[in-house]
Amino acid sequence: MSHDATCIFCKIVEGKIPAKKVYEDEDILAFHDINPWAPVHILIIPKRHITSMVDVGPAEQALLGKMMAVSPRLMLELGVTNGYRHLINTGADGRQEVMHLHLHVMGGPRPWLKG
Ligand code: AMP
Ligand code: ZN
Protein backbone atom coordinates (compact mmCIF):
# COMPACT_ATOMS: atom_id res chain seq x y z
CA MET A 1 0.00 0.00 0.00
CA SER A 2 1.51 3.36 -1.02
CA HIS A 3 1.32 5.98 1.71
CA ASP A 4 2.56 9.56 1.73
CA ALA A 5 4.32 10.28 5.04
CA THR A 6 3.13 13.90 5.04
CA CYS A 7 -0.51 13.12 4.23
CA ILE A 8 -3.04 13.42 7.04
CA PHE A 9 -5.44 10.87 5.52
CA CYS A 10 -2.62 8.36 4.98
CA LYS A 11 -1.87 8.80 8.68
CA ILE A 12 -5.50 7.99 9.48
CA VAL A 13 -5.29 4.87 7.26
CA GLU A 14 -2.12 3.81 9.09
CA GLY A 15 -3.70 4.46 12.51
CA LYS A 16 -1.14 7.16 13.35
CA ILE A 17 -3.84 9.73 14.04
CA PRO A 18 -7.33 8.91 15.29
CA ALA A 19 -10.58 9.09 13.35
CA LYS A 20 -14.17 8.09 14.04
CA LYS A 21 -14.31 5.23 11.55
CA VAL A 22 -17.63 4.08 10.14
CA TYR A 23 -16.45 1.52 7.56
CA GLU A 24 -13.26 -0.15 6.45
CA ASP A 25 -12.26 -2.85 4.01
CA GLU A 26 -9.04 -3.72 2.18
CA ASP A 27 -9.43 -0.85 -0.30
CA ILE A 28 -11.35 1.99 1.35
CA LEU A 29 -11.99 3.69 4.68
CA ALA A 30 -14.89 5.88 5.80
CA PHE A 31 -14.82 8.18 8.83
CA HIS A 32 -16.62 11.22 10.21
CA ASP A 33 -15.42 14.62 9.04
CA ILE A 34 -13.79 16.48 11.92
CA ASN A 35 -15.55 19.72 10.94
CA PRO A 36 -19.01 18.61 9.76
CA TRP A 37 -21.17 20.75 7.50
CA ALA A 38 -24.25 18.64 8.14
CA PRO A 39 -25.62 16.51 11.02
CA VAL A 40 -23.97 13.50 9.33
CA HIS A 41 -20.83 14.24 7.29
CA ILE A 42 -18.53 11.39 6.39
CA LEU A 43 -15.50 11.10 4.15
CA ILE A 44 -14.86 7.97 2.10
CA ILE A 45 -11.26 7.57 0.97
CA PRO A 46 -9.11 5.05 -0.87
CA LYS A 47 -6.53 3.50 1.47
CA ARG A 48 -3.91 3.93 -1.24
CA HIS A 49 -2.65 7.51 -1.58
CA ILE A 50 -4.31 9.08 -4.61
CA THR A 51 -3.86 12.86 -4.57
CA SER A 52 -7.06 13.87 -6.31
CA MET A 53 -9.45 13.13 -9.18
CA VAL A 54 -6.66 14.37 -11.47
CA ASP A 55 -4.90 11.06 -10.81
CA VAL A 56 -7.96 8.92 -11.45
CA GLY A 57 -8.26 6.91 -14.65
CA PRO A 58 -9.64 3.59 -15.88
CA ALA A 59 -7.46 1.69 -13.37
CA GLU A 60 -9.41 3.32 -10.52
CA GLN A 61 -12.86 2.54 -11.92
CA ALA A 62 -13.64 -0.28 -9.49
CA LEU A 63 -12.20 1.62 -6.52
CA LEU A 64 -14.32 4.71 -7.17
CA GLY A 65 -17.34 2.53 -7.81
CA LYS A 66 -16.80 0.92 -4.44
CA MET A 67 -16.56 4.32 -2.69
CA MET A 68 -19.85 5.43 -4.25
CA ALA A 69 -21.64 2.11 -3.87
CA VAL A 70 -20.97 1.70 -0.15
CA SER A 71 -22.30 5.19 0.67
CA PRO A 72 -26.06 4.46 0.72
CA ARG A 73 -25.54 1.64 3.19
CA LEU A 74 -23.40 3.81 5.46
CA MET A 75 -25.87 6.70 5.43
CA LEU A 76 -28.70 4.30 6.27
CA GLU A 77 -26.65 2.85 9.13
CA LEU A 78 -26.02 6.41 10.37
CA GLY A 79 -29.75 7.09 10.42
CA VAL A 80 -29.98 9.31 7.34
CA THR A 81 -33.34 8.58 5.71
CA ASN A 82 -34.26 11.82 3.95
CA GLY A 83 -31.51 12.27 1.38
CA TYR A 84 -27.88 13.30 1.22
CA ARG A 85 -25.30 15.00 -0.92
CA HIS A 86 -22.07 13.66 -2.48
CA LEU A 87 -19.16 16.03 -3.13
CA ILE A 88 -15.59 15.70 -4.40
CA ASN A 89 -13.37 18.80 -4.47
CA THR A 90 -10.45 18.75 -6.89
CA GLY A 91 -7.41 21.03 -6.90
CA ALA A 92 -7.09 24.70 -6.00
CA ASP A 93 -10.08 26.02 -7.92
CA GLY A 94 -12.10 23.07 -6.65
CA ARG A 95 -11.16 24.17 -3.11
CA GLN A 96 -9.53 20.84 -2.24
CA GLU A 97 -7.76 21.25 1.09
CA VAL A 98 -6.60 17.72 1.86
CA MET A 99 -4.59 16.32 -1.03
CA HIS A 100 -5.73 12.71 -0.65
CA LEU A 101 -8.82 11.87 -2.70
CA HIS A 102 -11.98 11.88 -0.59
CA LEU A 103 -15.68 11.66 -1.23
CA HIS A 104 -17.79 13.80 1.10
CA VAL A 105 -21.22 12.38 1.91
CA MET A 106 -23.48 14.73 3.88
CA GLY A 107 -26.99 14.29 5.18
CA GLY A 108 -29.37 14.68 8.10
CA PRO A 109 -32.05 17.22 8.87
CA ARG A 110 -31.57 20.80 7.66
CA PRO A 111 -30.50 23.49 8.31
CA TRP A 112 -26.86 22.60 7.64
CA LEU A 113 -23.85 24.74 8.46
CA LYS A 114 -22.81 24.72 4.78
CA GLY A 115 -23.69 23.00 1.53
P1 AMP B 1 -11.65 19.28 1.08
O1 AMP B 1 -11.86 20.76 1.08
O2 AMP B 1 -12.59 18.56 0.15
O3 AMP B 1 -10.20 18.90 0.87
O4 AMP B 1 -12.09 18.80 2.50
C1 AMP B 1 -11.24 18.28 3.47
C2 AMP B 1 -12.11 17.84 4.62
O5 AMP B 1 -11.31 17.06 5.50
C3 AMP B 1 -12.70 18.99 5.43
O6 AMP B 1 -14.12 18.87 5.44
C4 AMP B 1 -12.09 18.78 6.82
O7 AMP B 1 -12.98 19.12 7.86
C5 AMP B 1 -11.74 17.31 6.82
N1 AMP B 1 -10.64 16.92 7.70
C6 AMP B 1 -9.42 17.47 7.77
N2 AMP B 1 -8.66 16.83 8.68
C7 AMP B 1 -9.43 15.84 9.18
C8 AMP B 1 -9.23 14.81 10.17
N3 AMP B 1 -8.06 14.69 10.83
N4 AMP B 1 -10.24 13.97 10.43
C9 AMP B 1 -11.42 14.09 9.78
N5 AMP B 1 -11.67 15.01 8.84
C10 AMP B 1 -10.70 15.88 8.55
ZN1 ZN C 1 -2.59 10.17 1.49
Side-chain angles (χ1 to χ4, degrees):
M1 192 77 66
S2 58
H3 290 140
D4 178 335
T6 64
C7 170
I8 191 161
F9 288 176
C10 282
K11 287 181 184 165
I12 288 175
V13 170
E14 294 175 284
K16 289 181 176 164
I17 63 168
K20 284 168 63 184
K21 293 182 186 178
V22 296
Y23 176 80
E24 180 168 20
D25 67 26
E26 65 274 25
D27 300 313
I28 65 174
L29 175 66
F31 54 92
H32 288 276
D33 195 294
I34 206 166
N35 195 7
W37 294 9
V40 175
H41 182 171
I42 62 170
L43 303 174
I44 306 177
I45 69 169
K47 286 190 164 178
R48 170 164 69 89
H49 183 84
I50 298 172
T51 301
S52 77
M53 284 301 294
V54 172
D55 292 329
V56 168
E60 285 72 39
Q61 191 171 319
L63 182 64
L64 265 79
K66 197 174 199 182
M67 288 164 61
M68 286 296 285
V70 78
S71 62
R73 183 187 127 196
L74 300 184
M75 293 311 261
L76 197 60
E77 286 174 4
L78 292 166
V80 177
T81 55
N82 200 36
Y84 37 85
R85 179 171 276 188
H86 290 85
L87 175 70
I88 298 179
N89 296 323
T90 304
D93 286 349
R95 298 211 167 127
Q96 184 179 0
E97 289 175 2
V98 176
M99 295 308 284
H100 179 130
L101 178 65
H102 50 281
L103 170 65
H104 296 256
V105 192
M106 291 165 269
R110 288 186 180 268
W112 295 359
L113 202 59
K114 279 199 275 181

